Amino acid sequence: MVRAGEQVYANVVASQIALHANYGGVVPELASREHLRNIVAVVRQAVRESGFSLRDLDAVAVTEGPGLAGALLVGITYAKALAYGLGVPLIGVNHLEGHIHAVLMEARGRAETPMELPLLALVVSGGHTHLYLAKQERPGEAGTWRYQNVGRTVDDAAGEAYDKVAKLLGLGYPGGPWMDALAAKGNPRAVPFQFGQIKPRAHRPGVSLPNKKAGAERSGPIFDFSFSGIKTAVLRYVETHAMKAAIERRRAALAELPEAKASDAVALCDAETLDLIASFQYAVVGNLERQTFAAAEAFGARGIVVSGGVAANAELRRRFLAEGARRGLPVAFPSLALSTDNAAMIAAAAWPKFVAGEFAGDGLVATPQLRLG
Ligand code: KG4
Ligand code: ZN
């Protein structure tokens, strides 16, 4: 529950990480079943913690997409019923817009000088590595936000690469936080991973896109990413350096520790493994940094906003802040609590739509491939 896109009264998260960890990745059927099981209890808890009642709500906001169809459907069906029952408007929000507005909400709350527009937003998570140029049609509360996609991954997302490489090295799930902690113990210059230039792909004619917003053509320079190459490079390194047996020993040792944390893994990693992890992170963060700052410069952005699960990465935060300071460009991150998926960010993104009267009708549907801009 959030007031005026600004003050968080309650932000209850029912994490499914422990459930999916057993499978090494998200299992869609289990995800929607858990949503169904949790949604009523989570909303009740949020209302209780806020000190208000459901009757005090002015609107209900819900994620329209992108995401897993089953999970989206549970949220939308519940939100529609709740809004209808309370007689308040329903607002559909793009999940990615939520990540961006979580940062803006917190930056306003810190009473910093407001981030000036346009902003360059990097959304970097397990499903996305996307760059958007974000601006308002009219500055002020009622100004509708507009987003222009100026870069995206052509294959794996950065968080996905982290998770796959962690799995390959016998570490826990999700792999990002493990890699982040272990990278600090290795030499980032040990293995020189390279990123090639990504050529923009022409829009493929004849490919029908699943929603009306998906077909937006991109104009101007494009700053795309690719992370599947570095994943393959790590695999090749592991093979050519005969690291497989040590990896299997580590995997088995961690499986014996159900509550294992990254700190437990340090003793299970030799120097070569720690160097490999540090070098992987150095290359990935460097690539994110180069593309993001180049895009900011090309589009005349006045600030950078980084969000999504990978925005929790310590090296990413350090390097983005240092480069921002060097260029005199403000860089904002969400607090750790708001960097992974949460409901407060959806309410924050809904506020400008509420002010502008942009409500969803009965026709609001789950849109798994929904794009922003
Ligand atoms: O935004 P998010 O919670 O969920 C979605 O993917 O939508 O992001 C989760 C991703 C996972 O891939 C996870 O490994 C990654 O964020 N992640 C990190 C860190 N913390 C989470 N990656 C690198 N360093 C971290 N500290
Ligand atoms: Zn997310």
Side-chain angles (χ1 to χ4, degrees), residues 95 99 125 308 341 345:
H95 177 84
H99 275 301
S125 71
D341 292 349
M345 71 186 201

Side-chain angles (χ1 to χ4, degrees), residues 17 19 22 80 91 93 102 122 126 134 165 246 274 289 314 319 325 365 373:
I17 285 182
L19 173 76
N22 299 326
K80 275 186 179 173
I91 301 171
V93 173
L122 169 66
V165 168
L274 294 171
E289 181 192 328
R319 284 172 64 179
V365 288

Side-chain angles (χ1 to χ4, degrees), residues 42 108 164 211 260 310 320 329 333 369:
V42 164
R108 278 197 303 274
K164 285 178 176 170
N211 71 77
V310 185
F320 271 64
L329 204 58
F333 293 92
Q369 309 289 343

Side-chain angles (χ1 to χ4, degrees), residues 105-315:
M105 171 170 69
E106 289 189 313
R108 278 197 303 274
R110 286 193 298 268
E112 288 167 359
T113 32
M115 301 284 287
E116 285 182 45
L117 303 180
L119 287 170
L120 203 273
L122 169 66
V123 183
V124 61
S125 71
H128 294 90
T129 308
H130 282 51
L131 285 169
Y132 296 98
L133 189 67
K135 48 188 142 189
Q136 268 182 306
E137 257 171 19
R138 297 173 307 283
E141 284 216 318
T144 302
W145 283 79
R146 294 281 170 239
Y147 308 88
Q148 180 188 348
N149 177 252
V150 297
R152 60 176 172 242
T153 179
V154 298
D155 41 55
D156 292 352
E160 190 179 356
Y162 263 100
D163 294 343
K164 285 178 176 170
V165 168
K167 194 170 178 175
L168 171 71
L169 295 176
L171 300 170
Y173 167 87
W178 292 72
M179 301 280 289
D180 189 3
L182 294 170
K185 315 272 178 203
N187 172 11
R189 317 252 172 189
V191 188
F193 290 114
Q194 302 286 348
F195 277 95
Q197 285 287 322
I198 314 294
K199 282 210 200 83
R201 281 192 302 194
H203 177 67
R204 281 171 297 165
V207 177
S208 67
L209 293 159
N211 71 77
K212 61 180 185 303
K213 292 183 193 164
E217 288 297 329
R218 301 194 295 171
S219 56
I222 292 294
F223 297 86
D224 280 345
F225 301 91
S226 165
F227 291 104
S228 80
I230 191 164
K231 179 192 63 189
T232 313
V234 172
L235 176 62
R236 206 161 295 139
Y237 188 93
V238 162
E239 286 169 352
T240 53
H241 290 73
M243 297 169 81
K244 284 248 162 101
I247 289 172
E248 290 318 317
R249 279 197 300 279
R250 177 161 54 245
R251 201 188 304 282
L254 286 173
E256 298 290 310
L257 301 169
E259 302 285 311
K261 294 184 297 296
S263 49
D264 300 310
V266 181
L268 299 169
C269 294
D270 54 16
E272 190 178 33
T273 305
L274 294 171
D275 287 352
L276 179 61
I277 293 169
S279 302
F280 166 83
Q281 171 150 296
Y282 182 77
V284 169
V285 171
N287 184 250
L288 291 169
E289 181 192 328
R290 269 189 303 281
Q291 294 288 84
T292 305
F293 281 88
E297 190 173 323
F299 290 97
R302 312 284 293 274
I304 293 177
V305 161
V306 189
S307 59
V310 185
N313 188 272
E315 181 168 342

